[in-house]
Amino acid sequence: MRILLKLSGEALAGDKKTGFDEATVRKVAVQVKELLDKGNEIGIVIGGGNFWRGRTSENIDRTKADQIGMLATVMNCIYVSEIFRSTGMGTAVLTPFECGSFTKLFSKDRTNKYFSKKMVVFFAGGTGHPFFSTDTGALLRAAEIDADVILLAKAIDGVYDSDPAINPDAKRYDRISIDDVIAQNLQVVDMTASILARDNHISMRVFALQEENSIVKAAGDSFNGTIVDA
Ligand code: UDP
């Protein structure tokens, strides 16, 4: 199976909320290695919220603010790829813009070459354009590399009909269609990314990163988050 795993930037920070938490990333590495050893191909997109969000920086030009955000995702991918390497996995970090010798430019052919070498491929730098998100970057890459599924690791354990932090009666879906996600504006991923999922028929599995072994479970049958059908 070809899997695109999306991690939020905050997820890397653990309880610290900012920067990196190595113990958290090592738990991710162990699970990704298990999936890799089972013969899956794994691409990874990581957000940048543990460092920077373009839209919340008030006094600087949005385009520049978003460039900083994209670079934050590159830092995140280099960090996580190095932790992965230290556990014996081969990795490559690809970006949609030149970062000198730090990364290589993204292409589908290059991605396939790395997958054939059983390497984990990090898609850093989002879409390479301002006014987008890494959610959209994840859907875009998933479509380009023909991923079978997106595993969406979140702070919350699935998709709810309302915010469970506000509404104690919020109901969690086991399964929901992407059309309903869009119609109800459920923000599983942002709207641009949702439309990409719908138009390219890319299903997503939403689960809590903090739950024990949740990435491995999400790739298998004992999954207990929400499946978003597309
Ligand atoms: N970003 C961007 N284009 C992309 C992906 C990310 O400009 O294609 C920037 C944007 O500033 C964003 C930041 O990188 O706020 C971090 O990305 P993430 O998706 O984590 O941001 P969030 O959705 O939390 O704002």
Side-chain angles (χ1 to χ4, degrees):
M1 188 156 67
R2 186 168 281 195
I3 296 167
L4 194 298
L5 172 65
K6 164 79 205 295
L7 303 168
S8 69
E10 293 93 328
L12 303 186
D15 295 334
K16 293 193 284 187
K17 306 282 181 217
T18 181
F20 304 124
D21 180 52
E22 187 172 328
T24 302
V25 179
R26 288 206 176 274
K27 282 187 192 159
V28 173
V30 168
Q31 296 183 68
V32 169
K33 191 158 193 304
E34 183 174 336
L35 291 177
L36 204 61
D37 290 344
K38 285 179 179 160
N40 296 289
E41 295 170 326
I42 321 244
I44 300 193
V45 170
I46 305 175
N50 54 326
F51 286 121
W52 183 265
R53 284 204 174 89
R55 66 176 180 282
T56 52
S57 63
E58 285 166 9
N59 293 322
I60 64 170
D61 176 71
R62 172 70 188 266
T63 301
K64 299 292 179 194
D66 280 344
Q67 287 171 353
I68 298 169
M70 287 183 264
L71 288 171
T73 74
V74 178
M75 292 197 292
N76 281 342
C77 284
I78 293 175
Y79 178 82
V80 176
S81 93
E82 285 306 304
I83 300 284
F84 278 26
R85 273 186 201 216
S86 72
T87 70
M89 285 183 269
T91 62
V93 180
L94 305 184
T95 44
F97 42 77
E98 292 278 7
C99 287
S101 60
F102 294 7
T103 67
K104 290 209 161 60
L105 269 186
F106 166 78
S107 79
K108 183 174 181 174
D109 287 346
R110 189 167 263 157
T111 303
N112 283 332
K113 189 179 86 185
Y114 290 135
F115 279 154
S116 72
K117 293 180 177 172
K118 312 223 171 305
M119 293 163 78
V120 177
V121 182
F122 290 81
F123 304 112
T127 63
H129 298 284
F131 300 97
F132 288 107
S133 66
T134 52
D135 281 348
T136 299
L139 266 299
L140 189 60
R141 293 293 177 250
E144 287 179 285
I145 66 165
D146 305 308
D148 296 301
V149 67
I150 292 188
L151 303 186
L152 208 56
K154 285 188 169 269
I156 190 168
D157 62 352
V159 181
Y160 286 77
D161 61 357
S162 57
D163 186 349
I166 297 167
N167 175 13
D169 297 324
K171 173 177 158 288
R172 194 185 74 169
Y173 297 99
D174 292 334
R175 225 174 171 127
I176 186 169
S177 72
I178 189 69
D179 288 329
D180 286 343
V181 166
I182 292 168
Q184 295 175 47
N185 196 17
L186 288 178
Q187 301 292 328
V188 178
V189 286
D190 58 52
M191 193 54 84
T192 313
S194 293
I195 302 291
L196 274 172
R198 183 194 67 190
D199 292 354
N200 296 287
H201 306 291
I202 300 167
S203 293
M204 296 180 279
R205 291 174 162 224
V206 185
F207 57 94
L209 184 70
Q210 294 308 323
E211 277 179 24
E212 197 66 25
N213 222 26
S214 60
I215 301 172
V216 170
K217 285 187 193 154
D221 296 331
S222 60
F223 172 65
N224 63 350
T226 302
I227 297 176
V228 180
D229 292 302

